[in-house]
Structure formats: structure tokens, C-alpha cells
């Protein structure tokens, strides 16, 4: 009798464990490749920026007759001020009720732009517990949103499929007492394609608004939308922080709605893409099983000579490691 999915044969890892390990290796390789690519693209620009900054410091100290150490001390104080929300160009208030609401929205959605952070000890302690429950509730909300999106898309796609089937085969009554009840369901690829189109539509619409209101280029606005909607939140671009935005309530509301809608749709898209990644992993594991079949069979025969495992009948045709049959 083949082993269950969670069992192992003579110490062989279970399929779930193998899948987990394979995914971990692939993610590590993906991160390594990304590190090489981004380093090749950004390292030279970083070095040029450092050289330009050092030149500006030397020129400034020479023109104003101040010491390099005093200027660096002032810059360190400014870095501390930026942490508290102070900017060279005055922006909107960060810790009034609307500003604090924007902050907690970035916390519970796990975006975390970083342009606002508690500076008091009590605020930092509160953030730990507030974020613990807030982020947990937000993840639950995203999961419930995903369930309803999948149900709605399945219903719509099923209706389209039923109409197509009835048009091509009028004698078949879908879902009725016909020859066979239609059990068709949309594939993961179809749902992913629709969610990708929805995320693209939301991002393009939001980018048009941000480009007009924030003074960014359209490409910068699209970049901000991906960073925000994916909850990466670098903080190099942050919406709604200019002084004049305090007076535009409609923009503040639209910004919050777009953030919520974008994060929910992108979270749903990530989940369906993760299902596709899981299918690719299963295909890779099946290929590995076929490639390693003779090795697995040899190991099985050797193990059956000892008391580790009971003999397997007709072992010439089947490989029972991990309960898989070849």
C-alpha cells in the first residue's frame, strides 16, 4: 500500500517537505539573481551620487568658510529632524487627526512608507500592540476580499461559459436535467489574467490622479502605485504630504480609497500567482521523480534487504518513496 502524503519511506522526505525545500532554494536563487541585476544597475549611480555629495560639501564649506565637521554635525541633526517629520520644504501636518489616520492606514496595511514614525517611547510601545492586532485584522480582511473576488469571477466566467455552451449545443441544458450537469470551473490562469487587468486598470487610473496632484511624471506615479499597492512602501514617493493637500478633502478621500482598493486587488493577484507557482513546483517535482526513478528504486531495493522497511510487492514497476508511483 502506498504511503500517505505526509508519511515518508525509510527516511525519505515527504512531498510537502520536498516542495517547501525546493521553493526555498528557488527563492534564494531568485534573490541572488535580483541582487546581481540591481547591483549592476544601481551601484554606479550610487558611487556618482556619493562623489557629487562630497564635492558639494567641499564647495559649500569653502564658500561659507565653515568647517567640514560643523557642517556634518548640522546634517546629522537634520537627519534626526527628518525622522520626526521635519522637511526642508514644509508639508502638511503629520500628527493631526487626518495625518495620524494616514499613518495608521500605512501600518495596518503593512505598507509602512517610513516618512512618519513615532518619536516618543509611549508611541513606539503602542505601535507594537496596535500593529499586532491591526495587521492581523487587515490580513483577514484581504483574505475575505480575495474569497469574494474569486467567487464573483467564478460566477461571471461560469455564466459566460454556460452561454457559450448553450449557443454551441442547444440540446444541453446547463445546470438542469440535461445529459450531464456542467461542472466547469475557471482556471487559475483565467482568474489571474482578470485580476492582472483589474490591478492594471486601478494603477493606471491612480497614476493619472497622482501625476496631476503630486507633480510626478506618469512613470513615477506608476512606480509609486506598485510600491504602495504591493505593500513594499520604500518611502521615496509618498502621496498626500504637501501643504496644499490639507485643503483638498476630496483628494484625501480618493487617496485612501485608491490605496485600499489597490492593496486588496494586488494581494488577490499575488495569491493567484502563488497558486501558479505552486503548480510549477508540482511539475518540477514530477519531473524530478521521473528523472530519479531508477535511483529511488535502487534505494528501495537496498532498504528492503534490511529491517528498515517491509518488502514491497512487485517493486520492479513502482517506486513507493513518498507514496509516489512512477
Amino acid at each position: 500500500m502506498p504511503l500517505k502524503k505526509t508519511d515518508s519511506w525509510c527516511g525519505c522526505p515527504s512531498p510537502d517537505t520536498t516542495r517547501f525545500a525546493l521553493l526555498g532554494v528557488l527563492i534564494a536563487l531568485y534573490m541572488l539573481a535580483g541582487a546581481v541585476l540591481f547591483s549592476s544597475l544601481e551601484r554606479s549611480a550610487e558611487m556618482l551620487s556619493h562623489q557629487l555629495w562630497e564635492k558639494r560639501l567641499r564647495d559649500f564649506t569653502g564658500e561659507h568658510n565653515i568647517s567640514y565637521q560643523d557642517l556634518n554635525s548640522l546634517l546629522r541633526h537634520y537627519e534626526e529632524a527628518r525622522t520626526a517629520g521635519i522637511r526642508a520644504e514644509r508639508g502638511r501636518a503629520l500628527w493631526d487627526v487626518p495625518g495620524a489616520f494616514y499613518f495608521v492606514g500605512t501600518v495596518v496595511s503593512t505598507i509602512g512608507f517610513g516618512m512618519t514614525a513615532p518619536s516618543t517611547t509611549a508611541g513606539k510601545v503602542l505601535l507594537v500592540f496596535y500593529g499586532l492586532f491591526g495587521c492581523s485584522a487587515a490580513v483577514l480582511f484581504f483574505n475575505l476580499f480575495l474569497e469574494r473576488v474569486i467567487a464573483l469571477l467564478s460566477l461571471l466566467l461560469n455564466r459566460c461559459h454556460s452561454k457559450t455552451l448553450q449557443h454551441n449545443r442547444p440540446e444541453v441544458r446547463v445546470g438542469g436535467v440535461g445529459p450531464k450537469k456542467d461542472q466547469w470551473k475557471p482556471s487559475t490562469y483565467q482568474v489571474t489574467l482578470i485580476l492582472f487587468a483589474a490591478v492594471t486598470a486601478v494603477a493606471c487610473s491612480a497614476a493619472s490622479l497622482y501625476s496631476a496632484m503630486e507633480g510626478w511624471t506618469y512613470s513615477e506615479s506608476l512606480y509609486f502605485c506598485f510600491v504602495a499597492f504591493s505593500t513594499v512602501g520604500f518611502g521615496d514617493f509618498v502621496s498626500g504630504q504637501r501643504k496644499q493637500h490639507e485643503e483638498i478633502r476630496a483628494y484625501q478621500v480618493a487617496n485612501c480609497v485608491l490605496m485600499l482598493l489597490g492593496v486588496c486587488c494586488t494581494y488577490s493577484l499575488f495569491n493567484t500567482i502563488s497558486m501558479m507557482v505552486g503548480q510549477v513546483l508540482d511539475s518540477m517535482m514530477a519531473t524530478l521523480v521521473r528523472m530519479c526513478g531508477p535511483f529511488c528504486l535502487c534505494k528501495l531495493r537496498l532498504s528492503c534487504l534490511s529491517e528498515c522497511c517491509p518488502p514491497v510487492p512487485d517493486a520492479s514497476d513502482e517506486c513507493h518513496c513518498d507514496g509516489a508511483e512512477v
Side-chain angles (χ1 to χ4, degrees), residues 161-279:
H161 175 76
S162 301
K163 291 181 178 179
T164 303
L165 185 62
Q166 287 180 333
H167 181 268
N168 296 333
R169 300 175 59 188
E171 71 280 2
V172 178
R173 291 186 296 172
V174 179
V177 195
K180 185 178 180 181
K181 186 176 180 179
D182 187 23
Q183 298 294 332
W184 181 87
K185 292 182 179 180
S187 66
T188 305
Y189 301 97
Q190 291 174 315
V191 175
T192 301
L193 182 61
I194 294 175
L195 284 174
F196 179 78
V199 171
T200 302
V202 173
C204 290
S205 302
S208 299
L209 176 64
Y210 292 136
S211 180
M213 298 298 298
E214 301 290 345
W216 303 332
T217 64
Y218 192 75
S219 59
E220 289 174 341
S221 300
L222 282 176
Y223 163 79
F224 165 76
C225 288
F226 173 78
V227 170
F229 296 167
S230 62
T231 70
V232 175
F234 290 125
D236 48 351
F237 290 90
V238 181
S239 61
Q241 299 305 302
R242 294 189 173 187
K243 179 65 175 177
Q244 62 268 26
H245 294 160
E246 289 183 341
E247 309 300 328
I248 310 176
R249 298 298 179 185
Y251 176 61
Q252 295 180 21
V253 174
N255 186 28
C256 293
V257 172
L258 286 173
M259 285 288 180
L260 178 61
L261 183 61
V263 170
C264 288
C265 291
T266 307
Y267 178 86
S268 302
L269 178 62
F270 284 168
N271 273 273
T272 56
I273 292 177
S274 69
M275 297 177 190
M276 295 170 57
V277 173
Q279 294 175 358

Side-chain angles (χ1 to χ4, degrees), residues 121-141:
T121 302
K124 294 175 182 178
V125 173
L126 174 62
L127 178 63
V128 173
F129 297 98
Y130 186 89
L132 178 65
F133 293 101
C135 293
S136 302
V139 170
L140 176 60
F141 178 82

Side-chain angles (χ1 to χ4, degrees), residues 107-128:
V107 171
V108 300
S109 62
T110 70
I111 296 177
F113 286 122
M115 87 300 181
T116 309
S119 58
T120 63
T121 302
K124 294 175 182 178
V125 173
L126 174 62
L127 178 63
V128 173

